[in-house]
Amino acid sequence: MFGLSSAELNNWLVKIFTSGYFPPRMEDEKRSQQSSRKGLSGGDFAGVGIQFAAAIIVFLFAGQWVDDRLGTNGLFTIAGVFIGAGAAFYNMYRKISAAQKQDDEERSANRGPDSRDGPR
């Protein structure tokens, strides 16, 4: 800082960050408990977007490669984009359907056998 040597500055910073204002180890009680759910996490659903983009890009480049080999003017590039998008949509549908099915099974298991019809 202003007029402090590097050693004095380091000591000053160490005093700030090792002061008693901070607990020695910060923990979140909610996060320390393991979740009993075995379903898909938020990371799995975030990965769906990346997989979607990756499938389109891979098929786009595959279509361009085939166009360059055969000498066609973009026919396989366009087909590759549509095939990649279709494959990506199908993959997304499968993941979301599986997660929905698992969620429905968990909810029905938690409700019990007598509460299928709901309150009357």
Side-chain angles (χ1 to χ4, degrees):
M1 299 262 312
F2 307 106
L4 294 175
S5 69
S6 63
E8 291 173 330
L9 180 63
N10 286 340
N11 287 336
W12 182 67
L13 289 173
V14 167
K15 287 180 184 178
I16 290 174
F17 288 109
T18 58
S19 70
Y21 292 114
F22 299 105
R25 186 173 188 185
M26 295 181 166
E27 291 185 13
D28 188 2
E29 294 174 10
K30 293 178 184 175
R31 290 185 185 191
S32 64
Q33 299 171 356
Q34 291 292 329
S35 176
S36 63
R37 272 186 92 162
K38 293 182 175 88
L40 294 174
S41 67
D44 293 329
F45 285 111
V48 170
I50 294 170
Q51 290 174 0
F52 188 84
I56 292 174
I57 290 170
V58 165
F59 279 93
L60 169 80
F61 285 125
Q64 286 179 342
W65 181 79
V66 171
D67 278 336
D68 289 343
R69 291 291 225 181
L70 299 178
T72 56
N73 291 330
L75 175 68
F76 288 101
T77 302
I78 293 171
V81 169
F82 282 110
I83 291 170
F89 274 119
Y90 178 69
N91 186 34
M92 185 187 321
Y93 172 77
R94 278 188 0 182
K95 269 199 173 190
I96 292 173
S97 294
Q100 182 66 39
K101 182 179 177 183
Q102 187 173 6
D103 187 49
D104 289 345
E105 289 172 356
E106 286 178 7
R107 286 183 187 211
S108 64
N110 289 339
R111 273 192 245 160
D114 294 335
S115 62
R116 279 182 262 157
D117 296 332
R120 292 185 186 208

